Amino acid sequence: MEQQTITKLDIKFGKDVYNGLTDFPKHLSSKYFYDHNGDKIFQQIMSMPEYYLTNCEYNILDRNKAPITELFTKNTNRINLLELGAGDGIKTKILLEQLSGTGIDFKYIPIDISQNALDQLETSLSMEYPTINVETKQGTYIETLKTIRKEGNSKNIILFLGSNIGNLLHDQALQFLSELENSMDVDDMILLGCDQKKNPQTILDAYNDPTGITEAFNKNILKRINSELQGNFDLDKFLHWETYNPQTGTAKSYLVSKEAQEVHIKSIDLVVDFEAWETIHTEISQKYDDSEITNLAREAGLKVLKAFTDSKKYFKNYILVKD
Ligand SMILES: C[S@@+](CC[C@H](N)C(=O)[O-])C[C@H]1O[C@@H](n2cnc3c(N)ncnc32)[C@H](O)[C@@H]1O
């Protein structure tokens, strides 16, 4: 009989779901959107016309690959390219190809909570770029980064693309950048992708498509609770709801219970009561401007060395170094 292995992440998932659904107001972490199904839905999101983020960042990296990799390779002949939350790596491949052309000795280390995303990335890289040295690492950002030892005199370049930083609240983003800064040497760099403040409607549309793809992504967390923790959520009894506050730059995703209901989650021995129209907060997608990034970087002991943007100034990629 096949033996099921319970990993640390499975236990953490159960604990986080328990804590989030017994808290008030209820919440669940967006990092649990991503499994085989969630990764597939996120790829659909990236091809939606409303989800401008991916195209903008793709164009920024494509147009600026030469100056970006020039900064990466300055003062070194060996780099480690560490990517936090790599996903399908489509945008990163632009930089990998450019770096390969320079002849520099480099290793690509994608880190992701989703083993499925890493497996797919590894397969596509071995087919498209068989000579690139790749070492995948599964786990959460900082915990996994801490397990990576620097080899010899190599320079670490940390990629944090796709506005993943926007999934962190201000204090979490600050703590996160401070921890990154702590792990860096003087020549190390961060390439940070940040979605920018813009017309609120453009932002709302990106997280609220009419075809229901984002809704399915949001509800995937309930689907995972059902399949992995033996829950009995009825997905049709929840609405996907998005808000954007142009003053704070914060977009928030919720699941809203359409009626009073009781949900059982067997493997964590939990019965959750929902009032009609009660919410579960699932994701934050913070939007920034230059001064907020400059201040955030400074508070974390970092500074902006260079910024690259697209023609509409919808998205920016910042190069951060130790201050
Ligand atoms: C929004 S996608 C972006 C993917 C890619 N960076 C891009 O720009 O297309 C977020 C990725 O980060 C991963 N992820 C989310 N939260 C994470 C966490 N706390 N630790 C590690 N990986 C995480 C997800 O599995 C997913 O692949």
Side-chain angles (χ1 to χ4, degrees):
M1 190 203 276
E2 201 184 313
Q3 187 95 25
Q4 233 188 344
T5 334
I6 298 179
T7 67
K8 270 193 204 161
L9 270 173
D10 296 330
I11 296 168
K12 182 100 174 56
F13 181 43
K15 273 193 187 161
D16 287 350
V17 167
Y18 188 96
N19 291 337
L21 294 182
T22 52
D23 204 0
F24 183 80
K26 294 178 172 63
H27 55 88
L28 290 167
S29 167
S30 60
K31 65 175 178 247
Y32 295 122
F33 286 156
Y34 302 90
D35 64 347
H36 195 273
N37 187 44
D39 293 339
K40 225 169 51 198
I41 308 175
F42 188 69
Q43 291 201 320
Q44 292 170 2
I45 289 181
M46 289 196 291
S47 358
M48 293 182 337
E50 297 88 356
Y51 197 78
Y52 58 84
L53 290 83
T54 309
N55 261 344
C56 289
E57 193 172 37
Y58 188 96
N59 289 332
I60 295 170
L61 298 183
D62 197 36
R63 270 203 236 135
N64 299 288
K65 58 193 173 202
I68 292 174
T69 52
E70 223 166 88
L71 287 167
F72 286 180
T73 54
K74 203 171 162 197
N75 299 335
T76 190
N77 47 22
R78 194 167 170 199
I79 62 178
N80 279 329
L81 207 60
L82 300 140
E83 180 161 21
L84 307 178
D88 68 5
I90 281 187
K91 290 166 289 176
T92 314
K93 286 177 185 169
I94 299 169
L95 301 177
L96 295 177
E97 191 169 328
Q98 183 74 16
L99 277 173
S100 296
T102 65
I104 193 162
D105 180 10
F106 76 96
K107 186 172 181 180
Y108 175 48
I109 308 171
I111 294 169
D112 205 290
I113 196 168
S114 164
Q115 185 62 50
N116 171 63
L118 291 173
D119 291 344
Q120 292 195 359
L121 178 57
E122 200 166 24
T123 306
S124 73
L125 284 170
S126 68
M127 288 191 305
E128 292 168 53
Y129 305 100
T131 56
I132 293 181
N133 187 359
V134 182
E135 188 185 342
T136 61
K137 298 261 181 195
Q138 191 213 0
T140 51
Y141 303 135
I142 294 287
E143 287 72 17
T144 313
L145 194 60
K146 277 181 187 153
T147 65
I148 297 168
R149 293 267 156 271
K150 224 177 191 182
E151 289 164 18
N153 58 352
S154 54
K155 175 171 171 179
N156 273 356
I157 307 291
I158 301 165
L159 307 178
F160 200 35
L161 306 180
S163 208
N164 287 11
I165 192 163
N167 296 143
L168 306 176
L169 293 164
H170 176 81
D171 286 352
Q172 295 170 330
L174 179 56
Q175 193 192 342
F176 178 77
L177 287 180
S178 305
E179 292 199 36
L180 287 190
E181 190 272 342
N182 219 2
S183 75
M184 288 164 67
D185 288 329
V186 249
D187 281 330
D188 294 348
M189 287 175 178
I190 302 172
L191 179 67
L192 184 69
C194 293
D195 198 13
Q196 301 289 300
K197 287 181 175 167
K198 60 183 67 63
N199 185 328
Q201 194 60 55
T202 308
I203 291 172
L204 265 183
D205 291 348
Y207 298 92
N208 213 5
D209 65 287
T211 54
I213 298 174
T214 322
E215 177 185 350
F217 187 57
N218 199 2
K219 288 185 178 177
N220 193 48
I221 204 160
L222 303 184
K223 225 174 164 181
R224 283 194 69 182
I225 295 174
N226 284 352
S227 63
E228 293 173 40
L229 301 176
Q230 297 173 274
N232 69 347
F233 275 102
D234 178 346
L235 273 52
D236 291 335
K237 291 188 178 168
F238 287 85
L239 272 183
H240 162 70
W241 197 257
E242 191 69 24
T243 65
Y244 176 65
N245 179 339
Q247 186 180 27
T248 60
T250 312
K252 286 184 177 174
S253 305
Y254 296 93
L255 290 164
V256 186
S257 178
K258 292 186 200 169
E259 58 188 66
Q261 53 180 315
E262 197 179 85
V263 174
H264 294 245
I265 308 174
K266 205 167 156 197
S267 79
I268 52 170
D269 200 15
L270 181 68
V271 178
V272 196
D273 282 311
F274 288 91
E275 303 281 354
W277 309 116
E278 189 178 347
T279 55
I280 310 174
H281 174 223
T282 52
E283 187 173 51
I284 144 170
S285 305
Q286 183 65 37
K287 310 303 165 193
Y288 287 100
D289 59 28
D290 279 348
S291 63
E292 285 163 343
I293 289 296
T294 306
N295 289 337
L296 189 60
R298 200 191 47 233
E299 282 183 73
L302 296 160
K303 67 178 177 202
V304 176
L305 185 69
K306 192 116 183 98
F308 301 91
T309 191
D310 54 284
S311 55
K312 289 185 187 157
K313 296 194 169 54
Y314 273 10
F315 199 94
K316 282 195 181 171
N317 284 90
Y318 298 90
I319 297 221
L320 305 179
V321 290
K322 271 171 113 70
D323 195 0

